[in-house]
Each structure stands twice: as structure tokens, then as C-alpha cells.
Amino acid sequence: MSALKRVQQWATFARIWHIYNAAWQNPFHSSELIKKYLMGMHKPIYHPMNDCGDHVIVINSADIALPGDEWKKRVYFHHTGYPGGATWTLAWNLHEKDPTMIIKKAVYNSMDGNLQRRYTMQRLHIFPDENVPKELLGNVSNEIRQLRPMPKRLDDYPEKDVKEFPKVIDYPKDYVLR
Amino acid sequence: MSNSHLFLKPGFINVPLQNGVGRYVSQLQRVVLKFCKNNGSSRGMREFIESGLVNFAKENPGVVVYLKPRRHRSAVIKAEYLNGDEQWMSCRNSTQEEISKWLNLLVCQSKNHTGTRIRKLWHTDHPSIQGPWTPFTFRDPKLNLATFPNEELAKPKDSDVSNHERLIELFKKQKLGDLENRRGE
């Protein structure tokens, strides 16, 4: 392989780093999206036999939003291998113990169980908040768009904006403000 | 489904040293025709030697032709190529026409192709003019200056205007209308 072709090879198979903000996002729908980037399925050169997957940094995994009553109903099963070693953990409980676990398991389960899955998972970096090590953040060159718009809470607005917000109605005189 | 292709050597169509561009060198170096002088199975070979062989040798001056009579053996063509390949071909009971056709094939081909699986029916040294794809082709140049994580880039593309924003827009318009009214007075 000539020097030029070798560089061409490096350029084509360069690993790109993506960042994904998981705040207010459904982890099970997001995992289908993240999986495509991890496996390199978004690239025109994709083939199951070539190693063209990218790195994905997931931030704010503590702020994921599960649909419906899934926090209470979704159960994560684990077996230690010993008799009586089975445990069932509810999603809210698991999230309390490790806020990165739900999204990690969602991505892991979204991929086919083959020999490549563990290595693909090594390219996924999940952080419960926005504190990403600088050496990782320096690699990032693309942001994956979120699936749903992030709603803004009232306490996120500056106080001035809240006070100047146009008044739509007047409260009735006998209305009790609590 | 057969697995016979597993034992075939995969390869591409290629030409040695740009053969045929400018000049053509026949890649067949030597051909040995082995036959029996009296057995019926080499009758076609004997007929070919009597009628067609001299013409063949004249048309292909670059090919060395050997004749090798062997008692009580079937007829065989053995070809040797410039790249060192050897090809052995049984011509038992074949007619004169068949032999001349096979010889023609040996003269035309550049090496021994038997036992190779051609991976594609075409081959080129320059598959693309613009160059192979890289992650940076067709990339939005504004991403070069963006800092990550970026709120604008994270927004979904089809996000609608919220009622909150609509209300603020209406409020601003109302304010402007009020200003103009005051000026009109």
C-alpha cells in the first residue's frame, strides 16, 4: 500500500466522537439512535464485517425520562449464579444506584448478541451529568440531535423574564393563591 | 447450496504489465501436445496435428509447440505461461475442432484461471475519481467552529414553535401596535 493510499485508509476509517444529551429523552428510543452511531450504520461504507463504529458520549443520563409508569413497572433481572441468587430491581431503584445503568442496558439490549457487542459497548461513554473529562470532550466533533425537544422548567428562566411575562388573565378577587 | 466455492482461490480480473495497452504479448509460452499414434482416443489430436498445427504455429510465432507421442496414453495438452503457471488439460476423445478451440483459449488467456473464483466481473485501479468517502465529506462547515455540547445542535430538526414563544411574539406585536397608536395621536 502506497503512502497516499495508507492515509486514505486512515481517513475513511477514522473514528468520530459524537455527543448525545440524554436529558428528557426516552432511553429505549435513544438507544436505537445511539446504536447506529456506535456500530457505524450511519456511514455509507457500513458493512457488518468492517470495523467502522464511532464513539458516543452520552451526557445527563441521570435526567432520562421513562414513558408512563415504567419507573415503577420496569424490572431489571440479575442472577448471581448461586441458588437463590436471583434479584429483581425496579427501574427507579436501579437508577438511584447507578444513573448510567438504564441507558447502558438499553443500548446493550438494542444490539444483536454477537461477539462484536462487547467491543461496541466499549465505545459508549455515559456520564450522569455534564461533567465530561476534558480529554474526552476535546475529541467530540458532532452532536447527535435529540429525539424530543427539551422542555424548559420555570426555575430555569431568569427571574426578570418570569416577572415580565405577559399577563393573560386576572385572577378573580376571591381566588386564593397558595 | 454448495460449498465448492470455499476451495476456489478468490481473485480479480487483471492483466500483467498493462498487456494490450500499446503492445500485446501473448502470455502463453509453451504448449505440449501429448498423444498416442494408434489409440482411438487421440484421433482428434492426430487429425489436428495433420491439418491445423502448422497454421497454429505460424499464427503464433511466440508460442513454442512441442509434440510428444506416448504409446497407449490418452491425448493431453500441457500449457506453460510466462508467469510460471502450468495448465494440464485432458483431450481424451475430443475432436479436432474442440482441440483447436481449447488451444485458442490457452493462447488468449494470461494465466491458468482454473480453480479461481472471480470476485467481481470488473476491476479497476481507480474506482473513484473524487476519492473514497471519509467522515468529513459532505459535513456542515459550521460544525468546525461549534463547541460541544451545543444546545442549538442538540435540538430536534422538526421542533415546533411552542405556545410560550407564540405568546411572547403576540405580546411584542401588541406593544409595537401600542407605540404606533401613541405616535398617531
Side-chain angles (χ1 to χ4, degrees):
Chain A
M1 195 179 274
S2 71
L4 187 71
K5 281 203 164 177
R6 189 169 49 182
V7 173
Q8 181 66 64
Q9 178 83 2
W10 294 338
T12 303
F13 286 93
R15 288 200 199 283
I16 300 298
W17 286 64
H18 306 271
I19 195 165
Y20 182 73
N21 190 352
W24 294 86
Q25 305 300 310
N26 182 336
F28 312 111
H29 292 175
S30 306
S31 65
E32 294 294 327
L33 178 74
I34 293 169
K35 159 195 141 176
K36 284 180 191 165
Y37 286 88
L38 279 179
M39 295 167 73
M41 287 163 104
H42 63 299
K43 299 183 179 185
I45 58 166
Y46 173 74
H47 187 270
M49 294 290 285
N50 80 17
D51 184 17
C52 62
D54 285 346
H55 288 263
V56 176
I57 297 176
V58 176
I59 55 171
N60 293 331
S61 75
D63 302 337
I64 51 171
L66 260 64
D69 53 358
E70 291 230 2
W71 284 118
K72 291 182 203 162
K73 298 291 181 191
R74 183 173 282 266
V75 176
Y76 286 91
F77 175 77
H78 178 72
H79 202 292
T80 58
Y82 291 100
T87 51
W88 289 267
T89 316
L90 293 175
W92 65 267
N93 207 344
L94 184 72
H95 198 62
E96 255 178 17
K97 284 178 179 157
D98 185 354
T100 63
M101 207 55 141
I102 287 182
I103 201 147
K104 188 178 170 188
K105 279 182 177 290
V107 175
Y108 187 79
N109 288 331
S110 70
M111 291 188 286
D112 290 338
N114 50 26
L115 287 178
Q116 208 55 43
R117 176 157 68 161
R118 302 283 173 125
Y119 301 104
T120 309
M121 283 302 288
Q122 285 179 356
R123 277 182 248 122
L124 177 67
H125 316 274
I126 311 175
F127 296 94
D129 43 19
E130 283 196 339
N131 300 331
V132 185
K134 264 193 179 171
E135 59 269 25
L136 291 195
L137 206 55
N139 293 327
V140 174
S141 62
N142 186 33
E143 176 127 14
I144 303 174
R145 285 192 184 276
Q146 288 175 325
L147 293 172
R148 284 151 193 266
M150 252 200 322
K152 211 171 171 186
R153 281 204 317 253
L154 186 60
D155 53 349
D156 290 338
Y157 286 98
E159 209 170 308
K160 192 187 150 214
D161 282 14
V162 177
K163 271 185 183 167
E164 284 184 0
F165 194 75
K167 208 170 165 189
V168 183
I169 53 155
D170 284 321
Y171 288 116
K173 268 181 190 170
D174 51 351
Y175 188 83
V176 182
L177 270 177
R178 269 190 267 206
Chain B
M1 200 181 135
S2 78
N3 272 333
S4 60
H5 64 277
L6 288 179
F7 302 104
L8 299 178
K9 215 174 82 181
F12 289 105
I13 295 170
N14 63 344
V15 164
L17 295 171
Q18 297 184 321
N19 198 6
V21 182
R23 85 281 179 274
Y24 174 75
V25 179
S26 173
Q27 296 293 303
L28 184 65
Q29 194 181 16
R30 186 179 300 128
V31 66
V32 185
L33 307 180
K34 304 176 184 175
F35 63 101
C36 177
K37 284 183 184 173
N38 32 2
N39 197 315
S41 67
S42 13
R43 199 183 107 193
M45 183 66 90
R46 288 198 300 270
E47 281 173 358
F48 173 75
I49 291 167
E50 274 175 28
S51 57
L53 185 65
V54 176
N55 275 341
F56 173 80
K58 270 184 190 164
E59 280 168 14
N60 303 292
V63 181
V64 184
V65 182
Y66 287 105
L67 292 180
K68 195 169 176 184
R70 307 186 303 168
R71 251 186 286 167
H72 310 150
R73 302 290 195 94
S74 59
V76 158
I77 298 175
K78 188 175 187 191
E80 290 169 32
Y81 293 93
L82 280 177
N83 68 351
D85 277 355
E86 289 180 356
Q87 189 168 1
W88 186 93
M89 186 181 287
S90 171
C91 294
R92 186 180 167 83
N93 288 336
S94 30
T95 62
Q96 180 190 343
E97 288 80 23
E98 281 171 353
I99 289 171
S100 75
K101 273 187 181 173
W102 281 120
L103 270 179
N104 186 41
L105 173 76
L106 298 181
V107 168
C108 294
Q109 69 184 4
S110 63
K111 62 182 177 188
N112 182 5
H113 285 297
T114 50
T116 53
R117 173 173 62 87
I118 297 175
R119 285 179 54 187
K120 281 173 192 156
L121 292 179
W122 50 271
H123 183 71
T124 169
D125 287 341
H126 306 284
S128 166
I129 302 295
Q130 65 181 9
W133 176 89
T134 72
F136 299 99
T137 40
F138 313 130
R139 220 171 91 103
D140 192 354
K142 89 176 169 204
L143 284 176
N144 297 339
L145 292 179
T147 53
F148 300 99
N150 192 319
E151 238 174 73
E152 272 308 305
L153 291 171
K155 270 184 192 167
K157 263 189 173 171
D158 54 350
S159 57
D160 210 3
V161 183
S162 65
N163 281 341
H164 172 97
E165 282 160 4
R166 239 177 246 146
L167 187 63
I168 288 176
E169 202 62 31
L170 272 177
F171 183 64
K172 275 181 186 168
K173 261 186 199 168
Q174 203 182 17
K175 263 187 173 175
L176 277 177
D178 282 354
L179 265 178
E180 276 173 15
N181 278 343
R182 250 178 252 160
R183 270 182 205 155
E185 285 167 8

